[in-house]
Amino acid sequence: MTAVARSVRGWPRYLVSLLIIAVAATPLIAYWLSNPADQRLVDLDVYRTGGSALLLGLPVYDVITPAPQLLPFTYPPFSAMLAVPLGEMSWPAAQWVWTIGIVVALAVTVGYSFRPLLERFSGRLAVPVLFGLLAAACMYLMPIRDQVRFGQVDLFLVALCLLDCVVRKPWWPRGMLIGLATAVKLTPGVFLIYLAVTGFPRRDGDPEHRRALYMAVFTAGLLTILPFLAIFDDAKDFWFSALLDSERLGANAATTNQSLRGMLLRLYLPGWLTAAIWLAAAAAIGWYGFRHARRAFRDGDPMRGVALTGLMAVLLSPVAWIHHLAWVVIVIAALAGSGRDRTRLLVAAGAWLYFVLPIPWWGVSIKALEIPVVSPVIGKIVQDAFGLGAIGLVWLLASWLPRRRNADRVGSPVLRTAP
């Protein structure tokens, strides 16, 4: 029996996965989609407003969402072009279409991220249940909950970059999806660096990765130039004005900004000193992260490389809200591996629990207590928990995980599975 025939014959088993995911997602979706109208999927409203502005011939970067949010469109002009169909939908229809899309993007991300673990049980009835449970667990990570809460685009971009890097035989030119994601929102551009350091311009680089880099740059460049031909004034407004104003994104020192710069801004040092420390720290962490992402790729562990690069997108960005940490799904999968190493599974479970809990907001509560020493010091550290946690995950992936890979390969210790 061919692989295609086996896949077609076996698809009904995955109705179990669908049921598990639906049961897990329903309370979350019901909660946020029943929010007051002016608090519901506010970022989706930003995208839709950008698309509507193009339909109405209004300046995209001058329009704002209705009160009380009053949020401006902050994404590249190509994103506004993609958002035109949202502008043509009714608001209730857009909410449902987008939310279902988020769940599908999560399922795709989980399926490919946890592929080594799922393939270990290949052919067993337990696989659909395991897949469903993994997706359900990831649904309740705080960065993923926030995807549904705000109607965010991050999971779509995570899925695009992941597919481009790990699909074994893509039907599209490899690199095209990374270029598309970069044109939609600039932060996936870190994967251009990943493609460069893993395959270009070194002589021993993988020729396929060199081609992927060319395709990613070509696609991102083409989709960046296109708006200058179609909506010139909006493209000019973004690249020469809106992009340079980080405050359009919101209060950069707010708790939800867990990037390196966000954590430094909350120290309230002189501006020049904050900028100097940020540039130095970003250079050091960027060098460390991309160096080990390259090593992971050459060690035959691309999932670890993708996870490290995703964390770079969060830490190195001037602004990285908590929902930008959607990359943590891939990080947890990379830590878990094929599931043969108990220690790796425990660490992955610990990372999952850490990012399920709203720890940064505990820091805000501690600071509000105004207890001498405790509130300003401990509160500040706890407030930065996800950013500090992301730095810790970089170390785990870069230095700790390679030392555990031998145990995963030889299967010692092994979790017993039914025959």
Side-chain angles (χ1 to χ4, degrees):
M1 186 183 295
T2 66
V4 173
R6 285 195 300 270
S7 176
V8 170
R9 185 174 177 179
W11 76 265
R13 296 186 302 152
Y14 284 88
L15 291 175
V16 177
S17 304
L18 181 61
L19 178 61
I20 294 172
I21 294 170
V23 169
T26 296
L28 195 62
I29 293 173
Y31 182 80
W32 290 119
L33 264 65
S34 62
N35 231 16
D38 60 7
Q39 301 291 323
R40 193 181 308 157
L41 278 66
V42 295
D43 288 328
L44 175 60
D45 199 17
V46 171
Y47 312 149
R48 189 165 172 269
T49 298
S52 297
L54 288 184
L55 289 171
L56 297 172
L58 300 174
V60 171
Y61 296 96
D62 288 344
V63 298
I64 56 176
T65 59
Q69 300 299 334
L70 303 177
L71 299 173
F73 191 83
T74 59
Y75 299 87
F78 179 68
S79 299
M81 295 171 69
L82 288 182
V84 167
L86 292 173
E88 293 180 324
M89 293 182 192
S90 69
W91 180 224
Q95 293 175 58
W96 279 105
V97 168
W98 195 263
T99 302
I100 292 171
I102 287 173
V103 176
V104 171
L106 176 63
V108 170
T109 302
V110 169
Y112 279 94
S113 297
F114 288 90
R115 185 167 59 188
L117 180 59
L118 294 170
E119 286 183 343
R120 183 171 160 229
F121 296 89
S122 180
R124 302 181 188 182
L125 292 175
V127 173
V129 175
L130 178 59
F131 170 64
L133 292 175
L134 288 170
C138 290
M139 183 80 64
Y140 283 84
L141 291 162
M142 189 174 181
I144 306 304
R145 298 200 305 271
D146 278 0
Q147 300 295 311
V148 179
R149 175 184 179 183
F150 297 115
Q152 254 293 332
V153 72
D154 298 286
L155 259 176
F156 296 100
L157 305 181
V158 168
L160 288 174
C161 294
L162 176 66
L163 291 173
D164 225 354
C165 291
V166 304
V167 168
R168 288 162 183 163
K169 294 181 179 179
W171 52 265
W172 63 89
R174 196 182 296 275
M176 185 179 74
L177 300 187
I178 288 174
L180 171 60
T182 302
V184 170
K185 188 174 182 178
L186 300 179
T187 50
V190 294
F191 280 87
L192 300 178
I193 302 174
Y194 174 71
L195 292 177
V197 301
T198 55
F200 176 81
R202 301 180 183 279
R203 292 181 181 177
D204 57 345
D206 182 352
E208 184 179 6
H209 263 65
R210 289 201 295 270
R211 290 193 295 271
L213 174 62
Y214 300 148
M215 177 54 65
V217 171
F218 171 78
T219 303
L222 177 65
L223 298 180
T224 298
I225 293 171
L226 178 62
F228 279 99
L229 303 178
I231 46 172
F232 177 81
D233 289 338
D234 293 316
K236 181 187 67 174
D237 287 346
F238 176 77
W239 290 103
F240 299 104
S241 178
L243 178 62
L244 306 178
D245 181 9
S246 63
E247 292 300 321
R248 283 178 63 92
L249 302 172
N252 288 194
T255 301
T256 193
N257 184 7
Q258 293 287 314
S259 69
L260 287 172
R261 179 172 172 269
M263 292 187 284
L264 288 169
L265 286 174
R266 285 190 288 275
L267 294 176
Y268 299 103
L269 301 171
W272 66 268
L273 183 56
T274 296
I277 296 174
W278 174 49
L279 291 174
I285 290 179
W287 173 82
Y288 182 80
F290 286 117
R291 173 170 167 261
H292 285 279
R294 175 178 179 270
R295 179 173 297 175
F297 174 80
R298 298 199 171 185
D299 286 347
D301 191 4
M303 200 66 67
R304 181 161 58 96
V306 173
L308 279 165
T309 306
L311 290 172
M312 294 300 102
V314 174
L315 290 170
L316 304 185
S317 175
V319 177
W321 309 128
I322 286 173
H323 55 73
H324 292 175
L325 275 158
W327 300 100
V328 76
V329 173
I330 303 174
V331 173
I332 292 169
L335 291 172
S338 67
R340 296 182 181 275
D341 185 340
R342 292 180 187 274
T343 301
R344 287 182 61 172
L345 283 177
L346 288 172
V347 171
W352 171 83
L353 180 60
Y354 187 86
F355 284 94
V356 163
L357 302 172
I359 301 176
W361 300 109
W362 296 351
V364 175
S365 299
I366 292 171
K367 289 172 66 177
L369 295 175
E370 297 185 353
I371 301 173
V373 181
V374 172
S375 290
V377 177
I378 304 301
K380 183 78 69 177
I381 293 171
V382 177
Q383 188 181 19
D384 295 340
F386 282 1
L388 296 173
I391 295 173
L393 289 174
V394 169
W395 176 82
L396 281 173
L397 292 168
S399 299
W400 177 82
L401 190 54
R403 297 197 295 269
R404 301 295 313 181
R405 289 190 73 218
N406 286 336
D408 198 34
R409 284 172 173 168
V410 302
S412 176
V414 179
L415 289 179
R416 296 187 179 276
T417 58

